[in-house]
Amino acid sequence: MRTAINRKYHLIRYYYSQMSQISIGANTFYTMYKPLFFEFPEDKGAFEDIANNVMIGSAIKVSVNAKNITANLTDFYFPAGTWCSLFEPIGDCFYNDVGQSVVLGSQLHEYYAHIREGHIIPM
């Protein structure tokens, strides 16, 4: 529980910066918590597993097993580019030329947050 609270407070500046963009204008449609295909509409793989792969803003991809809570491993989809882990292991990065699935642990208490290349997150 302490880890979850600490992570929430580390990202609170990012949450507020993303929420401030929601009220930009009447003709601007923006959501902070969205399916992966909102950011990657050309990537067909982003449409595959929308429950387990979501974006928070345009910089953070969250991978959480929302379908099968008894599974120990789950395939999470990552679009092309460099993705670095925000939390343990910090700075663990990988690059892929095309979108691909990555197998990660997926017990009920596990989730992953990865930062997209070219973005800075205030923490």
Side-chain angles (χ1 to χ4, degrees):
M1 183 66 117
R2 183 177 298 191
T3 303
I5 292 170
N6 285 336
R7 288 180 179 182
K8 174 186 172 185
Y9 284 126
H10 280 312
L11 294 174
I12 201 142
R13 289 182 184 97
Y14 178 71
Y15 295 153
Y16 280 118
S17 67
Q18 294 302 304
M19 286 188 291
S20 69
Q21 295 180 18
I22 293 172
S23 61
I24 290 176
N27 294 329
T28 304
F29 299 102
Y30 185 85
T31 180
M32 186 174 113
Y33 187 84
K34 55 194 164 196
L36 194 59
F37 64 84
F38 275 36
E39 282 294 316
F40 303 95
E42 303 85 25
D43 190 344
K44 293 180 182 174
F47 290 85
E48 295 291 322
D49 192 6
I50 61 173
N52 292 345
N53 300 292
V54 295
M55 294 291 292
I56 298 177
S58 60
I60 299 176
K61 180 193 175 297
V62 177
S63 305
V64 62
N65 184 0
K67 289 183 178 178
N68 184 0
I69 61 172
T70 61
N72 290 329
L73 296 172
T74 303
D75 290 332
F76 296 109
Y77 184 78
F78 286 87
T82 302
W83 297 90
C84 295
S85 177
L86 283 177
F87 304 115
E88 289 128 30
I90 296 173
D92 186 23
C93 300
F94 62 91
Y95 172 79
N96 52 350
D97 290 332
V98 295
Q100 68 180 20
S101 292
V102 176
V103 177
L104 298 171
S106 62
Q107 293 181 349
L108 187 58
H109 64 279
E110 292 177 313
Y111 68 93
Y112 301 93
H114 289 85
I115 185 170
R116 185 177 170 189
E117 66 182 353
H119 291 272
I120 298 173
I121 297 177
M123 294 179 88

